[in-house]
Each structure stands twice: as structure tokens, then as C-alpha cells.
Amino acid sequence: MICYAYEGRCEISNNAAERAIRPLAIGRKNWLFAGSDAGGDRAAAIYSLIETAKMQGLDLRKYQAVVLGGIADHPVNRIDDLLPLNIDLQD
């Protein structure tokens, strides 16, 4: 079944998705050397944060500077405040 023929919201191609995962696919062999499963999990979490920040239109350097600069003093029970969806970079 061709979805886009029946549903107007469906894209004809998946080029946008292919472009989004290209950096991960190019470095696929590098991820084999994460060191351990825990290292791979941490790398996946970092990539998820970076891609979410990109989707929100945040300046990545500024976002990383704010998060890394304040994470040591940030309460662990409010760590969600540092997610790209919740952070305000206007200050």
C-alpha cells in the first residue's frame, strides 16, 4: 500500500529522516569502540540531547555552555530543567 496516495500528510520520500540520521550512520564503526555498553548508553543520551536541541532551534554552543557550566550546582531532583525543551537561553 502506498500511504501518501491515500493520506495527504504523508511524505513521498524519507529524505528528511535519512539526512537526520546520516551523522550517526557515517560514524557507525566508531561507535563500536565506546568502551562498554554503559559508554554506548551515555553516547546515545548525549546524541539525543544534541538532536533535541537542534530541533528546538537552540544555539548548540550556548546550550552546552549553559548546561555544563551549571550542572555541578544544579539539584539532581530538578535535572529536567536542563533539557532543551525547558531551558531558557535568553538570559
Side-chain angles (χ1 to χ4, degrees):
M1 176 189 273
I2 300 173
C3 180
Y4 65 85
Y6 299 105
E7 180 61 52
R9 295 177 293 166
C10 294
E11 294 288 332
I12 293 176
S13 71
N14 65 345
N15 286 339
E18 293 287 336
R19 282 191 306 274
I21 65 170
R22 183 173 291 138
L24 297 176
I26 289 173
R28 186 176 299 139
K29 289 190 179 181
N30 295 335
W31 313 149
L32 294 174
F33 303 104
S36 66
D37 287 344
D41 290 342
R42 289 183 190 109
I46 294 295
Y47 283 116
S48 295
L49 280 174
I50 290 172
E51 289 303 317
T52 303
K54 282 183 188 177
M55 287 175 48
Q56 295 298 316
L58 298 178
D59 178 8
L60 292 179
R61 290 182 188 263
K62 191 172 184 181
Y63 172 69
Q64 289 175 342
V66 168
V67 170
L68 294 176
I71 199 165
D73 300 329
H74 200 78
V76 72
N77 62 342
R78 291 186 42 223
I79 202 73
D80 289 349
D81 295 347
L82 298 177
L83 291 174
L85 300 169
N86 300 331
I87 200 159
D88 183 22
L89 296 179
Q90 301 303 324
D91 298 335

